[in-house]
């Protein structure tokens, strides 16, 4: 694989929006599915508190990584979200893109990052543990998964940059 990592820019808005729609169709459980328009993607990009990174291979968008910087007294921290195209999951793309984004965010003054991951999302759990994130706690019984017939916890991770 010949992966390229970079910050997102305006020319990426449409393809990122289409990627978020693909995630929505697959019923992915990631906050990107809450984006309902190209304008919302544009607003994300224009918000100085959002750090947005993409991974491409031969011009095809493969993954999106976002860090949302805290405001005011919390501006030393960021909350993370990441999604990889379904057909390319399991190839360590999430790990590589996260490393790329964390390095840039650290250079921009972010000192700690946090992520919430469902306790049954083994791929994401393993990725964060490989990246030496620490478990900070959990949100017990965060929601009920009707398809699986049980409650799902959110595992809270953090990493000092």
């Amino acid at each position: 694989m010949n992966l390229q990592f970079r910050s997102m820019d305006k020319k990426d808005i449409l393809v990122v929006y289409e990627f978020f729609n693909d995630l929505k169709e697959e019923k992915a459980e990631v906050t990107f599915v809450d984006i309902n328009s190209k304008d919302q993607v544009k607003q994300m990009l224009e918000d100085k508190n959002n750090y947005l990174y993409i991974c491409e291979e031969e011009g095809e968008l493969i993954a999106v990584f976002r860090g949302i910087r805290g405001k005011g007294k919390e501006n030393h921290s960021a909350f993370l979200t990441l999604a990889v195209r379904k057909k390319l999951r399991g190839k360590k793309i999430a790990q590589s893109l996260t490393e790329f984004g964390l390095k840039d965010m650290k250079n921009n003054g972010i000192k700690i990052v946090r992520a919430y991951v469902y306790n049954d999302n083994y791929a994401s759990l393993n990725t964060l543990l490989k990246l030496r994130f620490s478990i900070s706690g959990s949100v017990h019984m965060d929601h009920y998964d009707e398809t699986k017939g049980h409650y799902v916890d959110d595992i809270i991770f953090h990493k000092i940059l």
Side-chain angles (χ1 to χ4, degrees):
M1 295 185 92
N2 184 21
L3 304 176
Q4 294 89 42
F5 305 100
R6 64 178 175 81
S7 293
M8 185 181 152
D9 60 40
K10 286 184 179 184
K11 70 177 173 49
D12 302 312
I13 290 171
L14 178 60
V15 70
V16 167
Y17 174 65
E18 290 170 348
F19 174 57
F20 291 170
N21 279 333
D22 292 345
L23 293 169
K24 196 178 296 188
E25 284 182 27
E26 100 178 51
K27 296 186 176 17
E29 293 184 342
V30 63
T31 56
F32 292 144
V33 301
D34 297 332
I35 304 298
N36 294 310
S37 70
K38 290 180 284 187
D39 285 340
Q40 284 181 287
V41 176
K42 183 180 178 203
Q43 289 169 1
M44 272 184 6
L45 182 61
E46 291 172 348
D47 183 341
K48 63 180 175 60
N49 291 313
N50 278 312
Y51 295 86
L52 294 158
Y53 308 95
I54 63 171
C55 174
E56 296 174 308
E57 182 179 37
E58 297 177 15
E60 179 187 358
L61 179 73
I62 294 175
V64 175
F65 175 74
R66 174 181 66 187
I68 302 174
R69 181 179 216 135
K71 296 179 181 172
K73 293 180 180 180
E74 297 177 3
N75 72 349
H76 65 289
S77 66
F79 186 77
L80 308 179
T81 306
L82 185 136
V84 177
R85 284 207 186 275
K86 188 173 186 172
K87 67 181 182 179
L88 294 165
R89 292 179 190 150
K91 301 185 183 302
K92 300 188 182 194
I93 295 166
Q95 183 175 338
S96 298
L97 181 55
T98 300
E99 289 171 328
F100 176 84
L102 294 180
K103 183 178 177 184
D104 185 66
M105 287 191 296
K106 180 179 181 178
N107 290 338
N108 282 287
I110 300 294
K111 298 185 182 340
I112 185 171
V113 292
R114 297 180 185 93
Y116 282 37
V117 178
Y118 295 145
N119 69 323
D120 58 357
N121 183 343
Y122 303 114
S124 294
L125 295 169
N126 287 331
T127 295
L128 293 178
L129 291 170
K130 285 178 187 172
L131 289 167
R132 303 184 116 164
F133 276 68
S134 298
I135 297 173
S136 304
S138 68
V139 178
H140 188 60
M141 296 174 68
D142 179 67
H143 71 279
Y144 187 79
D145 186 325
E146 292 183 22
T147 61
K148 296 177 184 172
H150 62 83
Y151 286 96
V152 177
D153 296 344
D154 256 338
I155 307 299
I156 304 168
F157 285 89
H158 78 274
K159 181 177 177 122
I160 306 290
L161 301 183

